[in-house]
Amino acid sequence: MARRALKLASLATAAAATTGFYLYGNKHLDPNDFGVVRVGRAFATKNPDLFVRRVVLLRLFPKRQQLLPLTTSLLSGVFHVGQKNMSLSNHRCICALQNVYETCVVPIGAPSSSQAPQSSRQEIEQVILEDLGKGINELFISFEDAPLGAASLAQVHKAVLHDGRTVAVKVQHPKVQTQSSKDILLMEVLVSAVKQIFPDFEFMWLVEESKKNLPLELDFLNEGRNAEKVAHMLRKFDFLKIPKIYWELSTKRVLFMEFMEGGQVNDKAYMERNCINVNEISYNLGKMYSEMIFVNGFVHCDPHPGNVLVKKCPSTGKTHIILLDHGLYQVLSENFRLDYCRLWQALIKSDMKRVQKYSRRLGAGDLYPLFACMLTARSWESVNRGIDQLPVTKQEDVEIRTNAAMYLPQITKLLNSVPRQMLLLLKTNDLLRGIESALQTRASASSFLNMSRCCIRAVSTHQRSKSDSLYRKAQISISEALSLWQINLYELFLRLKGSQLGNWVIAFLSWMHHSS
């Protein structure tokens, strides 16, 4: 172990020395352009003596359980590096992994959006000029210097074009393209270091996913195509609004979109001021995500509150959900999507045999109970008794956090063995649950009914496509219609039960019972 630590220290020293000589000889270079500098700063401010403590404690306390706090500390450091490094901090794989560990072990403390880097007007104009050949004053009547929002890859400004259109202009930070490859390389070094020190923890998939997905996020034309594709797929939902893309002005680093505004989806105070029904919002959000995941297999994977806005239309009185930031979608293979459908059907019905069967098919192996708990964010007892039957309690949340700490190695093993498609779905599930918690609509029966409908439709469509018999297709369609009718009837029952009329009926029946 001492030899291994010495090797890592030597590599770090060599890298630092090389960077120092290079910076000394190039006085006009910005030190922040070098990933080593950013990584060093992140660790210096967060975990200055982490590796030293690790080596000493390993000698004193060889048992893994006694090192759990240090394990979480090192994980916290890795996540902190990923957040501080501009091109990686927005990457969904890091967020997905962090969310699992935050939920199960300890709050890591992700930086808020206000801490995201911001480019100056001069830097923004440089990117616009390079890509469009015109400056800000040539393109716009007005351009707000203060960004509407800033993230690690880009920032968005409100502007008015000369033809009168109000637009949202998303401009990539000028140094992201050059820094991204360096940051991924350094993340690979960090992950290798974690593996050397903690053999039980496998994080190389994190690097592999970063290499695959980050280039997609850096291409804003890809984001525009994703926005148009999902708008077409979900066109039947009149409550969903997705900004129109202005292709004639957009490039890989600058995206012009229709300007839309509203309150964040987790802002209950905004909804109360604007007479917006939180249950309706939660219901519609679950409806559109169930459609994306189970039916279309094309999933917007970053529904954090800044990307999901709500607004009541003054003219019609209808409430709209505005979905922003279409940079990275997860495309689900047909086999994965259908297995995922059947797994959720089994979870909703508390069919433990099918839960085990489809969890195994999705790579969970013998860890299927842990997998079911991670998907639902419920205890194993709740999964067995029915996640749609028991409300989520604070006691259960505390129990999950308390008990899950001992399963860190198993969680890591599970994340390493499930299909890569699952990683972003875990991230998406966590964010949607966070919104439901903020609106206090978490685990309502309506959300499970929406999921059930979509799962039934998806499986039935697949079965019909695989059948050559008209009789068999008719059977499948009749079975599908009956199942959907049962769900509609149950939903009607729940609505009546929760209404004033339902309360009167229940009171009357109770009175009749006692009278007899």
Side-chain angles (χ1 to χ4, degrees):
M1 177 54 67
R3 188 182 296 112
R4 185 180 297 165
L6 182 60
K7 180 179 178 181
L8 288 171
S10 301
L11 287 172
T13 303
T18 304
T19 303
F21 281 120
Y22 191 74
L23 289 173
Y24 181 80
N26 294 271
K27 296 181 180 180
H28 300 291
L29 290 177
D30 181 359
N32 291 312
D33 288 345
F34 291 85
V36 172
V37 174
R38 297 195 301 281
V39 170
R41 182 180 293 119
F43 266 105
T45 57
K46 186 84 172 179
N47 296 285
D49 61 338
L50 194 58
F51 286 97
V52 174
R53 285 189 287 129
R54 167 59 180 154
V55 173
V56 172
L57 286 175
L58 259 183
R59 289 298 181 186
L60 296 176
F61 307 107
K63 293 183 179 180
R64 181 173 57 200
Q65 289 83 353
Q66 293 167 302
L67 289 168
L68 182 60
L70 190 60
T71 306
T72 57
S73 182
L74 181 56
L75 291 173
S76 176
V78 172
F79 297 138
H80 188 72
V81 170
Q83 291 158 349
K84 288 295 184 183
N85 288 351
M86 183 160 58
S87 62
L88 284 181
S89 62
N90 196 44
H91 189 60
R92 275 57 165 175
C93 293
I94 292 175
C95 295
L97 178 62
Q98 178 182 331
N99 283 353
V100 172
Y101 279 97
E102 280 184 346
T103 302
C104 297
V105 187
V106 60
I108 293 174
S112 65
S113 58
S114 62
Q115 294 174 292
Q118 289 190 14
S119 295
S120 65
R121 178 187 171 106
Q122 183 180 0
E123 290 173 316
I124 291 298
E125 184 157 28
Q126 173 194 339
V127 175
I128 292 175
L129 188 61
E130 289 175 359
D131 280 33
L132 295 171
K134 294 181 180 179
I136 288 176
N137 293 333
E138 295 176 90
L139 286 168
F140 309 104
I141 295 175
S142 66
F143 183 89
E144 294 186 3
D145 288 344
L148 296 170
S152 54
L153 299 182
Q155 59 194 53
V156 180
H157 293 261
K158 182 181 179 181
V160 179
L161 296 169
H162 285 286
D163 60 11
R165 287 179 293 177
T166 302
V167 295
V169 187
K170 184 174 182 177
V171 186
Q172 197 170 107
H173 295 303
K175 296 178 182 179
V176 165
Q177 294 278 356
T178 56
Q179 288 176 348
S180 60
S181 58
K182 302 171 188 174
D183 286 346
I184 288 176
L185 177 61
L186 282 163
M187 184 60 68
E188 188 169 5
V189 171
L190 284 174
V191 169
S192 298
V194 172
K195 173 63 178 173
Q196 287 289 316
I197 297 174
F198 298 103
D200 286 342
F201 292 89
E202 294 279 359
F203 294 140
M204 194 51 67
W205 53 266
L206 176 64
V207 178
E208 293 167 359
E209 288 297 292
S210 299
K211 287 178 178 178
K212 182 182 72 176
N213 291 326
L214 192 58
L216 297 176
E217 293 189 85
L218 293 173
D219 182 358
F220 289 173
L221 295 179
N222 177 68
E223 177 175 344
R225 290 189 291 269
N226 287 341
E228 289 195 343
K229 183 176 180 179
V230 79
H232 178 73
M233 282 182 170
L234 303 182
R235 61 191 181 279
K236 67 179 181 180
F237 297 139
D238 58 358
F239 62 81
L240 176 61
K241 300 298 176 185
I242 294 174
K244 179 182 178 183
I245 306 299
Y246 298 121
W247 290 108
E248 71 277 11
L249 294 168
S250 297
T251 69
K252 284 191 172 186
R253 295 193 299 166
V254 183
L255 188 65
F256 281 68
M257 300 166 284
E258 177 185 5
F259 176 75
M260 291 185 173
E261 59 183 342
Q264 290 194 356
V265 70
N266 64 341
D267 189 346
K268 284 193 71 177
Y270 170 87
M271 295 188 197
E272 289 172 2
R273 289 195 305 271
N274 291 274
C275 301
I276 295 174
N277 188 325
V278 294
N279 291 311
E280 179 188 353
I281 293 297
S282 184
Y283 179 84
N284 286 337
L285 190 63
K287 195 174 179 180
M288 70 189 222
Y289 263 90
S290 292
E291 191 81 13
M292 278 192 273
I293 293 170
F294 300 113
V295 178
N296 294 315
F298 186 67
V299 189
H300 177 284
C301 287
D302 198 17
H304 73 70
N307 289 339
V308 186
L309 308 181
V310 295
K311 185 177 182 181
K312 177 164 281 192
C313 180
S315 57
T316 65
K318 290 184 177 180
T319 302
H320 295 152
I321 295 177
I322 302 167
L323 191 61
L324 307 175
D325 193 351
H326 302 269
L328 185 64
Y329 273 66
Q330 181 63 69
V331 180
L332 307 180
S333 68
E334 184 176 61
N335 288 338
F336 176 92
R337 179 173 59 85
L338 292 169
D339 284 342
Y340 195 59
C341 282
R342 291 176 175 122
L343 173 58
W344 268 106
Q345 284 182 303
L347 286 167
I348 292 169
K349 294 178 181 178
S350 300
D351 185 342
M352 291 300 107
K353 287 185 178 180
R354 287 169 63 85
V355 167
Q356 179 177 351
K357 175 182 176 181
Y358 289 106
S359 294
R360 289 182 181 277
R361 287 182 62 162
L362 288 170
D366 293 335
L367 296 174
Y368 70 89
L370 178 61
F371 185 52
C373 294
M374 287 172 63
L375 278 179
T376 60
R378 302 297 301 271
S379 67
W380 182 238
E381 179 185 358
S382 295
V383 172
N384 276 275
R385 293 178 62 184
I387 55 176
D388 62 335
Q389 301 297 319
L390 299 173
V392 182
T393 63
K394 290 184 178 180
Q395 182 180 356
E396 185 179 5
D397 279 338
V398 171
E399 178 188 344
I400 290 171
R401 286 181 181 274
T402 303
N403 293 339
M406 67 184 72
Y407 294 112
L408 266 176
Q410 290 89 339
I411 292 172
T412 308
K413 180 181 178 181
L414 186 58
L415 291 175
N416 195 49
S417 60
V418 296
R420 296 294 172 260
Q421 300 165 78
M422 183 60 69
L423 301 175
L424 293 182
L425 286 187
L426 286 170
K427 152 82 170 175
T428 305
N429 285 345
D430 284 341
L431 289 172
L432 291 174
R433 277 196 294 267
I435 292 171
E436 289 177 345
S437 294
L439 300 181
Q440 297 179 339
T441 60
R442 186 177 167 195
S444 63
S446 62
S447 64
F448 294 118
L449 294 177
N450 277 327
M451 294 173 69
S452 296
R453 285 191 185 96
C454 288
C455 289
I456 289 168
R457 287 169 46 217
V459 173
S460 298
T461 300
H462 172 73
Q463 289 174 339
R464 277 193 297 269
S465 70
K466 297 298 181 182
S467 176
D468 295 327
S469 167
L470 291 176
Y471 175 72
R472 176 58 184 152
K473 288 182 178 181
Q475 277 186 319
I476 295 168
S477 296
I478 292 171
S479 176
E480 176 187 7
L482 286 173
S483 297
L484 293 174
W485 179 79
Q486 287 176 335
I487 291 175
N488 292 338
L489 191 63
Y490 181 58
E491 186 173 41
L492 178 62
F493 165 75
L494 291 176
R495 287 181 179 178
L496 287 174
K497 184 180 176 182
S499 67
Q500 187 64 44
L501 175 61
N503 292 332
W504 288 343
V505 171
I506 292 171
F508 175 74
L509 292 175
S510 177
W511 177 78
M512 289 290 291
H513 175 73
H514 288 297
S515 297
S516 60

